Each structure stands twice: as structure tokens, then as C-alpha cells.
Amino acid sequence: MQTLSVDLGDRSYPIYIGHGLLRNPDLYTPHIKGRQVLIVTNETVAPIYLDDVKSALTDYQVDTVILPDGEKYKDLDTLNLIFDELLERRHNRTTTLIALGGGVVGDMTGFAAASYQRGVNFIQVPTTLLSQVDSSVGGKTGVNHPLGKNMIGAFHQPQCVIADTDTLETLPLAEMAAGMAEVIKYGLITDAEFYEWLQDNVASLMAGDAESLADAIYRSCDNKAKVVAQDEREGGIRAILNLGHTFGHAIEAHQGYGNWLHGEAVGAGMMMAADLSRRLGYLNKDEEHALLRLLQAAHLPVKGPADMTCEDYVSRMAVDKKVLDGALRLVLLKGIGEAYITSEVPRDLLDETLIACGAKP
Amino acid sequence: MQTLSVDLGDRSYPIYIGHGLLRNPDLYTPHIKGRQVLIVTNETVAPIYLDDVKSALTDYQVDTVILPDGEKYKDLDTLNLIFDELLERRHNRTTTLIALGGGVVGDMTGFAAASYQRGVNFIQVPTTLLSQVDSSVGGKTGVNHPLGKNMIGAFHQPQCVIADTDTLETLPLAEMAAGMAEVIKYGLITDAEFYEWLQDNVASLMAGDAESLADAIYRSCDNKAKVVAQDEREGGIRAILNLGHTFGHAIEAHQGYGNWLHGEAVGAGMMMAADLSRRLGYLNKDEEHALLRLLQAAHLPVKGPADMTCEDYVSRMAVDKKVLDGALRLVLLKGIGEAYITSEVPRDLLDETLIACGAKP
């Protein structure tokens, strides 16, 4: 087992990475302060892992909420199912919520923990590669609104994260790919050496090699933690974590949440960011092609959906959180491992990129 | 105009108290960082004060949400009306929400501000005595759940509070009384001298004397601010602000939210706390009777509703947030101006108090 410490002053917490962790009581106990626990999971994950987690928590009042599976249920109504259970089972302020599942379960459980009685503790047990590398670090929690993704939420840090690589054995290929999008992102934005390692190891990662996966998870979380530690509330540098996401959110919003996996949309979005970076004179053709090959090896889309126009992108991107006082801000690359933020992107170049990446004019 | 500074480090903010403040642009401008403002108010307050506030904000994109009036609308569905407007009108992270109304509007607007894009700024413009003395300080925001009051929320401090005493001229007597319950509470828990002043000035306060009201608001906010500054997240001492509230919440929940005004329930709840304190040997009969006279002069109930049994109280109190790991914690008085917190209340004494204050055995 590897342990990574996310350093956020009195909100610091450990991430445990390895196999067989899910059912280990010693990883939970130090992070539960009361006698009550609520496990929040979904109908896909529950049959596989719920009993394992319960078996590690025999000393507590353990209650369970099983949510419907999918991004389209990441809304206020579904969130309320968690509050219903907490109140029906009389959970008090010392309760601990446990998020067992992917990013949707993690984001909703985290927001429920942030809001229940104005804030209780929670533990993340991410069961997808995406949530292990992405939702584990950063404290972002929330739900979607029909007009925008993650528009309602809070910053709320977990007590610990338990990333059990065994859970990746049951993960569908498309979800492995979605996780790889974020893994690749960490290389692109801050860690050229890791990016090179990924090009050499993408095949074994996609084949599910546990040791490579643990290394990739550790390195991804470490890279993200270093960015977040500099900027916990996303005032500045932290925005580089959104490489590919402004494009990606536009795709997800236009297609209807859940029809494109978040990571897939980010994959196509990173290709757009790289293409636009090249047009602005920063990346060369070889670097752009290397990214294309890496995304393809990770089974990720390199173009957006065929039915979106440039205007579809731009109007969706205008409502994205990354818009500051009307100016569209984008995360682009000065080179591999070096992201930057700009609000000065000529509309004609943006359109050229969108069209090159599959959009209709 | 009097200005009180609430001292919370980098979350400190001013409370402006006086008349004619509502339409003064200079009080708003320093506390609005972007170009967008959303005024949240309700259908009762909007016809009287909305235009005044708008007239002070001519330099901004001003949007408005008018909520239905009443505690029964303090829920997630109504909260969502605020998010709808923010997203439809494309408010970004630099937006400022303005809560124009009583405690319900303030609590909901504050929680919307805490949650929209994981946190934006807000300004409180409380238009009731209760919200001027109570919601102005403390940063508590949130909504109710059918199984418990204020169960979903956040701690989120405003940029400033504008307490215009002119708004009290249009306030119904029952709402003046509800505000007085909290004013009296500040005397009871920490400020014997203020409590004495209240006994001398209750008549002019209830008659709407502007100068006395401004003094009472200042003194109440100052007392509350001193308690909150010691304990922003309610880990300990802050709980004394709940004097009368655990009883009061039981009354409100049992009667259905909105049927007893919050302040009225707190009035009866404080009488119960005083009665129980006397039975525990702390207050004498004279002090209890003086409180009874003060509450009556403030047009407040001194007994609970006639249809509640002791068991109704106890079961409702058990789900209240003040319960820690199963033990019922109550705020009681060691003397006038001296509150304390205890989890050691014999059930028989509690029942005696409840019966003395109107409950059925």
C-alpha cells in the first residue's frame, strides 16, 4: 500500500492506494469520530462491494443509501435521498458519510456531507480510475443543474480516501479510458516526465496491470495535490486542472449529461486545447500527433460529436464557470508539462480548432 | 448610522444600522466585486422595498427572484428557483446575491450564495427585527427538511449587512414580538445590564421607537458577534445562542413549520428553559416571573401549544442538531446573563417543566 498525504493545513488527509483495502477496518476507524456511518453507493456498485465495506464497519450503526447509477441523477432531487436517510435514521453531527462508487457518488456524497447540518465528515472510497485520480483530491463536491454542470456545490475535504485498485478489475473499458483522460491530463499540465512514462506504459495500464495502475494513481494524485495545495479555493493556478474541461463540459451539456462520459469529453477537449495551442504557436505538429496517438491508445475520442456547431460550443462555454466577467478563459499549453490560462483567444482560431476537431462551421 | 464590525479574520464584515439605508448606493458598492447582482426577496417585501434597493444599484446588471412568502417554502425546491435565475441570466462567479427580506429569505439566499458555483458573495438586507438581530450575525444559512429545521445548509458570511430601521415601521406586531424574543435572549445569555435596559424599554421598543430599536439591534448583534467570534463553526460556546431553541424547534416541527413563528416558539422555549433552570436550583421565582412579564410585554407566548404531550417534545428534541451522540443537550441559565450547556437533565424534571408550560403529560 502506498500512502499519499494531501497537505491542506488542518484539512490535510491521506490517500491510501493499493489492493485489498476496501475491507480493511484499520483504514476507516481512525477517520470516524462518532458511532454512525452512512454508506452512499449506487445500484451498480452495491452488489459488488457494499458487503465488503460493511464488513469493515461492524462496530458502528451502518445505514445505506443506494442511488440510481448515472450522471443524469446527479441533481438536487437525488441528493435529497441522502438527506432523507440521514434524518430518518437520526444521524447527528458526528456522523460520517462514506462515498462508495465513482465520481457521481463521490461528488453527491461530498456535497451532502458539506450541507448536512452545515457540515459533517466523509470518506471517499472511489471505485473507478477516474474518481481515484480526480475526485480524490481537491475537495470539489456538488450536483448538476439542467443549465450547467457542477453549478451547485461546495468545497469540502474528505477525512481520507481509500483507492483500492482491485475495484478496477470490474471496470468497463470505456470507464478505464475515461480515467486515463485525467491521468494524461496531469502529465500534460505539470509533469512532462510522467507524460513520457505514460506513453511507454499506456498498454499495460489499459490491460489492467495493478502495479502500473497504482503508480499512475499515486503520480496523478500527487500532481493534483501539489496544484490544489497552492490554491485550495480555485482563485488562480488551480484552474489549469481544467485543461480540456471547458470544451468537454460544452460537449457534455450539449449531448445531455451522461451520453458522453465526462472523461471522454475531456479527452476530446484536450485534443482541442492542444490543437488551439499549436495554432497559437506553442505546440508543434509532432507533439500534437503524439497526444493523438496516446489518446487513441487509451481508447479515447480525439474529436467532438459530429452534430455540434462552433456556435453550440461557444454558447455552452460562455455559461461555464471558467468565464470571468464575460471573457472566455481557456487553459492551453505552452509545451508538454506546462499549462497556462488565457482569456485572449481569437474567435477565428477557436473556430478553426473546433472545425478541425469535428464541429460543423 | 451606527456601524458594528463583526470580527472573523478574513471573513470580517460590517453591519450598518440606522434609517434610510436601503437606498444608499454607497453602502452596497464597496461590497460588490463584479458587474452582476441578483436580488432575492419575497412577494410580501418586493412591493414595498424592491424598487428602493434597485434604485441604489443602477450601475449593475440587476436580476430579481421573488419567492413565495413563508417558512414552508424554505426548502430545496424553492432554493432551486434562485439557481434557475442565476443560470438563466448567466451569473458568473463574481456575482453578488442580495437577500432582501426576513430570516427565510436571508437563510435561503445565503445558502444559494454558499452553493452557487461552490460559493459567491452575498449582502444581507434584513427587513424584520428578527433577521436584523439574529440572521445578521453568525453566517448560518440553509433550508428545512420535512424531518428537521435547518438540516441542510452551510456556514457562509455576508460581505455586509444593511439593517434599515425604517423597514420595521411596516412590520406586523406578531413579527416585532418574534424579533423581541431573540433580543431578550441576548440579555438572558450574556448581558444582564442589557436585560435590565430591556425591562425598562420594552414599551418604547414595541411602540416602534426608532432610536431605541437601533440601540437594541446594535447591542443584540454585538452580543451575538462576541459569541460567534469565539466559535465560528459552533463547536462549543456558540451553542448558548440556542437558548430556548431546542424547545422552540420541537414546537415548530410539531405544529408544522410556519404555524408558530420561529420567535414565538423561542419565546415559549425560553420560558421552559428558565423554568427548568429554576427546578435545577439556578434561577429564583422572582427572576422567572420577571422574564414572564417581559415576554408578555413583548407580546410573546409564555406557554407551548395545548395539543403537545411531553413525548411529542422529547421525540422532536431528539432529532434536533443539538443532540450529540444520543444525549439530549440543553442550554439553560445559571443566572440572568449567564447561560450554560448541559446534557444532564433528569427526565422527570424535564416533564415537570413541560407540563408547567402547557404540555399534556
Side-chain angles (χ1 to χ4, degrees), chain A residues 135-206:
Chain A
S135 320
S136 297
V137 184
K140 286 189 178 180
T141 70
V143 297
N144 298 330
H145 182 280
L147 294 177
K149 203 171 142 66
N150 293 319
M151 283 288 153
I152 305 164
F155 286 96
H156 195 57
Q157 304 295 343
Q159 300 305 110
C160 73
V161 177
I162 300 172
D164 188 333
T165 51
D166 289 352
T167 62
L168 305 181
E169 289 171 14
T170 53
L171 202 65
L173 181 63
E175 294 211 33
M176 278 298 286
M180 282 298 290
E182 299 289 336
V183 172
I184 292 167
K185 183 191 77 178
Y186 293 113
L188 278 177
I189 59 173
T190 56
D191 192 343
E193 189 189 283
F194 179 46
Y195 185 77
E196 204 168 302
W197 181 88
L198 285 172
Q199 292 179 306
D200 295 340
N201 291 275
V202 61
S204 67
L205 289 166
M206 292 308 291

Side-chain angles (χ1 to χ4, degrees), chain B residues 42 57-58 60 63 129 132 174 225 235 243:
Chain B
N42 69 33
L57 299 167
T58 49
Y60 303 92
D63 296 304
L129 180 60
Q132 288 176 352
L243 179 76

Side-chain angles (χ1 to χ4, degrees), chain A residues 20-340:
Chain A
L21 309 186
L22 212 61
R23 74 201 69 187
N24 182 348
D26 299 341
L27 298 182
Y28 297 88
T29 310
H31 305 289
I32 298 175
K33 71 175 172 186
R35 306 312 310 158
Q36 298 175 307
V37 166
L38 178 74
I39 304 173
V40 181
T41 185
N42 70 33
E43 57 200 8
T44 306
V45 174
I48 322 179
Y49 300 115
L50 180 56
D51 284 346
D52 282 345
V53 174
K54 276 186 174 169
S55 73
L57 299 167
T58 48
D59 292 344
Y60 303 92
Q61 171 195 327
V62 178
D63 297 303
T64 307
V65 176
I66 299 177
L67 304 176
D69 186 8
E71 177 92 20
K72 67 171 173 288
Y73 299 106
K74 187 175 164 181
D75 58 19
L76 282 177
D77 285 342
T78 309
L79 182 74
N80 209 21
L81 299 176
I82 304 176
F83 296 130
D84 289 345
E85 182 73 13
L86 285 166
L87 282 156
E88 277 161 19
R89 304 290 297 165
R90 300 198 170 193
H91 283 245
N92 62 41
R93 281 184 179 167
T94 66
T95 190
T96 299
L97 274 61
I98 296 181
L100 172 66
V104 171
V105 165
D107 285 4
M108 293 183 71
T109 307
F111 187 40
S115 311
Y116 185 61
Q117 304 205 13
R118 301 194 189 92
V120 299
N121 287 343
F122 82 116
I123 291 172
Q124 294 261 29
V125 186
T127 60
T128 65
L129 180 57
L130 177 59
S131 55
Q132 288 176 353
V133 299
D134 189 44
S135 320
S136 297
V137 184
K140 286 189 178 180
T141 70
V143 297
N144 298 330
H145 182 280
L147 294 177
K149 203 171 142 66
N150 293 319
M151 283 288 153
I152 305 164
F155 286 96
H156 195 57
Q157 304 295 343
Q159 300 305 110
C160 73
V161 177
I162 300 172
D164 188 333
T165 51
D166 289 352
T167 62
L168 305 181
E169 289 171 14
T170 53
L171 202 65
L173 181 63
E175 294 211 33
M176 278 298 286
M180 282 298 290
E182 299 289 336
V183 172
I184 292 167
K185 183 191 77 178
Y186 293 113
L188 278 177
I189 59 173
T190 56
D191 192 343
E193 189 189 283
F194 179 46
Y195 185 77
E196 204 168 302
W197 181 88
L198 285 172
Q199 292 179 306
D200 295 340
N201 291 275
V202 61
S204 67
L205 289 166
M206 292 308 291
D209 177 68
E211 205 169 317
S212 306
L213 282 167
D215 289 343
I217 294 164
Y218 186 97
R219 190 81 169 242
S220 296
C221 291
D222 193 26
N223 274 301
K224 182 168 185 182
K226 282 175 185 151
V227 175
V228 171
Q230 291 175 61
D231 178 20
E232 191 178 348
R233 301 296 295 246
E234 196 162 8
I237 180 73
R238 181 167 172 165
I240 66 168
L241 296 172
N242 293 314
L243 179 76
H245 283 61
T246 304
F247 295 106
H249 286 172
I251 295 172
E252 288 181 274
H254 186 267
Q255 301 302 107
Y257 293 119
N259 292 316
W260 270 56
L261 281 177
H262 173 70
E264 293 174 340
V266 169
M270 287 193 295
M271 204 64 233
M272 292 173 192
D275 183 284
L276 187 50
S277 302
R278 180 179 55 74
R279 286 175 206 273
L280 288 164
Y282 288 122
L283 289 194
N284 61 43
K285 274 268 178 200
D286 287 351
E287 288 168 326
E288 195 185 353
H289 285 155
L291 174 60
L292 187 124
R293 286 194 303 273
L294 180 55
L295 291 170
Q296 286 175 331
H299 293 259
L300 283 163
V302 294
K303 287 185 185 301
D307 64 340
M308 281 181 76
T309 64
C310 291
E311 199 47 44
D312 288 337
Y313 278 96
V314 172
S315 68
R316 295 285 180 178
M317 287 157 80
V319 79
D320 196 84
K321 284 192 300 297
K322 269 62 77 179
V323 176
L324 200 70
D325 266 335
L328 178 63
R329 287 163 81 233
L330 281 173
V331 184
L332 298 175
L333 296 170
K334 291 212 163 154
I336 300 301
E338 192 187 352
Y340 77 108

Side-chain angles (χ1 to χ4, degrees), chain B residues 74-302:
Chain B
K74 187 174 163 182
D75 58 18
L76 282 178
D77 285 342
T78 309
L79 183 75
N80 209 20
L81 298 177
I82 304 175
F83 297 130
D84 289 345
E85 182 73 12
L86 285 166
L87 283 156
E88 277 161 19
R89 304 289 299 165
R90 299 197 169 194
H91 282 245
N92 62 43
R93 282 184 178 167
T94 66
T95 191
T96 300
L97 274 59
I98 296 181
L100 173 65
V104 172
V105 166
D107 284 5
M108 294 184 71
T109 307
F111 187 41
S115 310
Y116 185 60
Q117 303 205 14
R118 300 194 191 90
V120 298
N121 287 342
F122 83 116
I123 290 173
Q124 294 262 29
V125 187
T127 60
T128 64
L129 180 60
L130 177 59
S131 56
Q132 288 176 352
V133 299
D134 189 44
S135 320
S136 296
V137 185
K140 286 190 177 180
T141 71
V143 297
N144 299 330
H145 183 281
L147 294 178
K149 202 171 143 65
N150 294 320
M151 282 288 154
I152 305 165
F155 285 97
H156 194 56
Q157 304 295 343
Q159 300 305 110
C160 73
V161 177
I162 300 172
D164 189 334
T165 51
D166 289 352
T167 61
L168 304 182
E169 290 171 14
T170 54
L171 202 65
L173 180 65
E175 295 209 32
M176 277 299 286
M180 282 298 291
E182 298 290 336
V183 171
I184 292 166
K185 183 192 76 179
Y186 293 114
L188 278 177
I189 59 173
T190 57
D191 191 344
E193 189 188 283
F194 179 45
Y195 184 77
E196 204 166 304
W197 181 89
L198 285 172
Q199 292 179 305
D200 295 340
N201 290 273
V202 61
S204 67
L205 289 165
M206 292 308 291
D209 178 68
E211 205 169 318
S212 306
L213 282 167
D215 289 342
I217 294 164
Y218 186 97
R219 190 83 169 241
S220 296
C221 290
D222 192 28
N223 273 302
K224 182 167 186 185
K226 281 175 186 150
V227 175
V228 170
Q230 292 175 62
D231 178 20
E232 191 178 349
R233 303 295 296 247
E234 196 161 9
I237 180 73
R238 182 168 172 162
I240 65 168
L241 296 172
N242 293 315
L243 179 76
H245 283 59
T246 303
F247 295 107
H249 285 172
I251 294 173
E252 286 182 274
H254 187 267
Q255 301 303 104
Y257 293 121
N259 293 316
W260 270 55
L261 281 177
H262 173 69
E264 294 174 338
V266 169
M270 287 192 297
M271 204 62 236
M272 293 172 191
D275 183 284
L276 187 49
S277 301
R278 180 180 55 75
R279 286 174 205 275
L280 288 163
Y282 288 121
L283 290 194
N284 61 45
K285 274 267 180 199
D286 286 349
E287 289 168 323
E288 196 185 352
H289 285 155
L291 174 61
L292 186 121
R293 285 193 304 273
L294 180 56
L295 291 171
Q296 285 174 331
H299 294 259
L300 284 163
V302 293

